[in-house]
Amino acid sequence: MQELRDKYIQAIGSAADEAALEELRVQAVGKKGEISLKMRELGRMTPEERQTAGPALNALKDEINSALAAKKTALADAALDERLQAEWLDVTLPGRDRRVGSIHPVSQVWEECTAIFADMGFAVAEGPQVEDDWYNFDALNIPGHHPARAEMDTFYMHRAAGDDRPPHVLRTHTSPVQIRAMQAQGAPIRVIAPGRVYRADYDQTHTPMFHQVEGLAIDRDISMANLKWVLEEFFSAYFGTKVKTRFRASHFPFTEPSAEVDIQCSWEGGTVKVGEGDDWLEVLGSGIVHPKVLEAAGVDPSQWQGFAFGMGIDRIAMLKYGIPDLRAFFDSDLRWLRHYGFSALQVPTLRGGI
């Protein structure tokens, strides 16, 4: 029995890992282990032999189990020491608070636009989201027969029978803010008008409510060259890389001449990268403010001229953060923020969340 003890005590002491230790446990005290088989032999012994062998076998079994438990603890301690030596993390430091909230991407891009245009001398102008149709359409040279004035495209406010006030709409763009700003301040003027707008449209790239930022600059000698410089400066600052633009002739009732603006990009594996490559992506509409718009706002078009532009805040947020579906911005489950790797601003914000 001493030989059996020495065999397993030595083997347990030399075990290199928990797998080897478990194998020794099975060999020694498992159901078919050597010590277990010895204990089964007690039934064939005489009472006198059992009085001597029984206590000795029980003591051996207890000693082997104790040695197994001690070795298992020692192996665990050694593994922990090895891990602590290999890792630089100090487990005694207090836990770090985890950020559980973040500013919404639309709010962040809203603030980024405001800050970038502020560096170029643009103030922020605001106006009502429920507009009368003169500010939303007529003052912007959009005639009564224009498709944008149809109820299938625009949300009109309900009127009770006998209510003869002018029609009111949920504004379809922030352009009415430009009219109000020119009426209030006159010329020269340099403002941006960020805000919510509403149109009767809904799919992967359109929602009934979305966000725009429009810009207006009126002075004596402003030209399309000034417009191009402002836009290239904005996109380069916003995307963090030099961005080229391309102007394409277009038509808008409130500008003449008018231009769609594309930015330089490349497509790789279904992902767009701005500021490189040979492709182009349309991002906004722009042009020289139409004389009729200046007249409607009380500005003399023979003395003043300028440019205007408008783009979707949600769309440029999608471009910057790689979000493919516009509807995700308004989903009630905001886990998609982490899915797309969006991180919160680390500085105080100009506005509250959406």
Side-chain angles (χ1 to χ4, degrees):
M1 197 171 294
Q2 182 64 35
E3 183 180 348
L4 195 60
R5 175 192 176 280
D6 293 343
K7 170 186 173 181
Y8 282 108
I9 292 296
Q10 182 177 355
I12 290 170
S14 303
D17 52 42
E18 290 194 21
L21 195 65
E22 175 62 16
E23 186 176 346
L24 287 171
R25 185 195 70 79
V26 172
Q27 292 175 6
V29 295
K31 183 181 288 188
K32 296 182 180 180
E34 287 190 74
I35 296 175
S36 299
L37 292 176
K38 289 282 187 185
M39 296 188 73
R40 291 180 187 178
E41 295 176 0
L42 291 174
R44 297 194 295 270
M45 296 181 183
T46 64
E48 292 78 12
E49 291 175 329
R50 281 199 298 271
Q51 286 182 352
T52 304
L57 283 171
N58 283 327
L60 176 60
K61 182 178 180 180
D62 290 342
E63 186 177 3
I64 295 299
N65 282 328
S66 297
L68 288 167
K71 183 62 177 182
K72 185 174 182 178
T73 300
L75 287 172
D77 290 344
L80 179 60
D81 288 341
E82 183 179 353
R83 183 179 174 188
L84 291 175
Q85 290 292 329
E87 294 181 356
W88 59 267
L89 182 65
D90 186 350
V91 296
T92 65
L93 291 175
R96 299 185 183 127
D97 292 335
R98 181 180 178 184
R99 298 175 65 91
V100 295
S102 64
I103 185 172
H104 193 280
V106 172
S107 294
Q108 176 162 322
V109 171
W110 185 320
E111 294 173 13
E112 289 175 357
C113 292
T114 300
I116 295 169
F117 283 117
D119 286 342
M120 291 186 278
F122 286 82
V124 175
E126 296 181 329
Q129 296 182 47
V130 177
E131 275 286 12
D132 69 52
D133 68 343
W134 187 85
Y135 279 103
N136 198 77
F137 296 121
D138 296 284
L140 294 163
N141 198 35
I142 300 175
H145 62 271
H146 195 281
R149 301 184 75 143
E151 291 186 1
M152 68 179 64
D153 292 322
T154 299
F155 294 105
Y156 282 82
M157 308 303 293
H158 176 72
R159 281 283 184 265
D163 189 342
D164 58 357
R165 289 179 296 167
H168 279 69
V169 301
L170 294 179
R171 66 184 182 189
T172 59
H173 42 196
T174 57
S175 301
V177 178
Q178 299 179 16
I179 301 296
R180 292 181 179 274
M182 285 189 284
Q183 287 179 332
Q185 302 178 37
I189 188 172
R190 194 182 302 180
V191 295
I192 59 167
R196 295 179 179 87
V197 297
Y198 307 85
R199 296 180 190 175
D201 204 354
Y202 185 71
D203 57 33
Q204 186 176 2
T205 57
H206 300 84
T207 54
M209 185 279 291
F210 56 102
H211 303 82
Q212 278 188 341
V213 58
E214 299 194 8
L216 172 73
I218 303 295
D219 213 318
R220 299 286 185 185
D221 300 308
I222 287 183
S223 68
M224 292 287 282
N226 301 120
L227 169 63
K228 184 176 179 66
W229 179 86
V230 166
L231 292 178
E232 289 190 348
E233 286 293 304
F234 167 76
F235 286 122
S236 296
Y238 175 71
F239 289 108
T241 185
K242 183 66 176 176
V243 179
K244 295 180 181 179
T245 61
R246 181 179 69 175
F247 281 36
R248 290 180 291 105
S250 187
H251 169 72
F252 303 111
F254 28 81
T255 53
E256 181 59 38
S258 302
E260 301 276 7
V261 179
D262 304 333
I263 57 175
Q264 178 192 14
C265 69
S266 67
W267 291 90
E268 294 181 8
T271 301
V272 62
K273 294 184 179 180
V274 175
E276 60 180 57
D278 300 321
D279 292 323
W280 298 91
L281 180 67
E282 177 188 328
V283 288
L284 62 85
S286 65
I288 298 299
V289 180
H290 199 290
K292 290 185 178 180
V293 175
L294 294 177
E295 289 176 353
V299 175
D300 185 355
S302 67
Q303 301 294 320
W304 305 95
Q305 65 185 41
F307 62 74
F309 60 84
M311 60 185 143
I313 292 176
D314 317 79
R315 290 176 184 266
I316 61 174
M318 291 170 69
L319 276 177
K320 186 167 184 175
Y321 297 110
I323 301 169
D325 193 325
L326 182 64
R327 293 169 294 190
F329 285 121
F330 313 109
D331 196 311
S332 59
D333 185 352
L334 296 183
R335 286 176 293 180
W336 62 269
L337 285 172
R338 293 193 297 272
H339 175 74
Y340 288 110
F342 183 81
S343 59
L345 286 174
Q346 302 297 321
V347 295
T349 59
L350 302 173
R351 298 176 52 87
I354 289 179

